Amino acid sequence: MNYRRLKDLPEELLPRERLCQLGPEALSNSEVLAILLRTGLKGENVLSLAERILASVGGLSGLGKLTVHDLAQIHGLGKAKSAELKAALELGRRSVSVDPMSRPVVNSPQDVAHIVMEEMRYLDREHFRVLSLSTKNHVLGITSISIGSLNSSIVHPRECFKEAIRRNSNAIILLHNHPSGDPTPSQEDVEVTRRLAEGGKILGIEVIDHVIIGDNRYISLKERGII
């Protein structure tokens, strides 16, 4: 049966009730989105609206790439709902950032990718970051250095090592994403990596890798033999 109004659904099928009873893990993507949207349109309940939005943008991955302006162009959203939705997506993005209390251990490029992949794979511009490590390879934090195309003029050694020095880091791992989804390193990526590795030798802070994040793929410049 097609319910034009959400309140006509049996209570056990309402997204909010299902979340309270079964937990958020039991909900579909459209049900979670419906809870955030709260209301639908005349002749289209909020669950149908959520399903239509996800279908039109290519699912959650597509939704995460849209700006507030982009979202506001979708029929049924508007500026207010778009801003609220973008804020919710940002909270989700931040929630997968490194929790300094948990101090994950990094022993491989796979470990690095596991920490940052779900956030960085959806960024629409290049973000360059530095992951600081303790002597036992515990993550001390991740510092954002620049946003924009990677080049030696905006990625200065001073900025890259400043936070690592403050945290008394033993080593760092360089991170950046390729919005195209293809993590293949450019010549500029290689040059910046080698420049920072030389700077690390002078400071006594080893640059042990540079991990480039694509769309659910990554490349380690250490594994490529560049570092």
Side-chain angles (χ1 to χ4, degrees):
M1 183 179 294
N2 183 22
Y3 294 90
R4 297 185 66 182
R5 299 183 304 172
L6 198 64
K7 67 180 182 179
D8 293 334
L9 279 169
E11 184 172 319
E12 66 272 13
L13 296 181
L14 294 172
R16 190 176 300 171
E17 292 301 319
R18 279 172 44 76
L19 185 146
C20 293
Q21 295 173 10
L22 305 174
E25 303 85 3
L27 272 62
S28 67
N29 293 338
S30 57
E31 287 175 313
V32 174
L33 180 56
I35 291 174
L36 292 174
L37 296 175
R38 298 193 307 278
T39 59
L41 300 170
K42 184 177 181 180
E44 183 179 32
N45 69 47
V46 68
L47 190 54
S48 296
L49 172 61
E51 291 170 348
R52 173 168 60 80
I53 290 172
L54 289 174
S56 68
V57 301
L60 286 182
S61 62
L63 193 66
K65 295 176 182 178
L66 298 181
T67 65
V68 173
H69 176 75
D70 294 332
L71 290 168
Q73 307 310 306
I74 299 174
H75 179 60
L77 287 183
K79 187 175 180 180
K81 280 188 176 181
S82 297
E84 292 170 358
L85 180 56
K86 194 64 179 178
L89 291 168
E90 176 63 14
L91 280 177
R93 184 191 71 80
R94 295 185 185 188
S95 73
V96 299
S97 297
V98 175
D99 177 1
M101 299 303 294
S102 65
R103 297 289 171 91
V105 177
V106 169
N107 291 314
S108 68
Q110 291 92 330
D111 293 337
V112 177
H114 178 74
I115 293 171
V116 303
M117 177 64 75
E118 284 309 306
E119 177 201 354
M120 296 190 72
R121 65 185 290 197
Y122 297 125
L123 297 174
D124 59 2
R125 287 186 292 170
E126 288 194 13
H127 288 238
F128 186 84
R129 298 172 181 176
V130 171
L131 186 152
S132 300
L133 296 174
S134 71
T135 55
K136 295 185 178 180
N137 287 349
H138 287 92
V139 175
L140 301 177
I142 298 177
T143 306
S144 179
I145 304 300
S146 68
I147 300 175
S149 296
L150 189 62
N151 61 65
S152 57
S153 64
I154 64 171
V155 180
H156 195 281
R158 178 181 61 247
E159 299 303 319
C160 291
F161 290 100
K162 182 168 65 176
E163 191 65 17
I165 293 171
R166 190 188 72 81
R167 295 177 186 273
N168 197 29
S169 306
N170 180 64
I172 64 172
I173 294 174
L174 310 177
L175 294 166
H176 88 280
N177 65 299
H178 282 179
S180 67
D182 180 1
T184 302
S186 66
Q187 185 58 40
E188 190 71 50
D189 296 339
V190 173
E191 291 173 1
V192 167
T193 301
R194 288 173 173 164
R195 180 167 175 254
L196 293 176
E198 288 301 314
K201 290 177 182 178
I202 296 172
L203 294 171
I205 300 176
E206 183 183 5
V207 177
I208 62 175
D209 204 349
H210 184 171
V211 178
I212 302 175
I213 302 296
D215 188 4
N216 208 31
R217 295 184 291 161
Y218 69 90
I219 283 178
S220 159
L221 270 63
K222 182 176 183 179
E223 290 182 338
R224 288 286 182 97
I226 295 171
I227 295 182

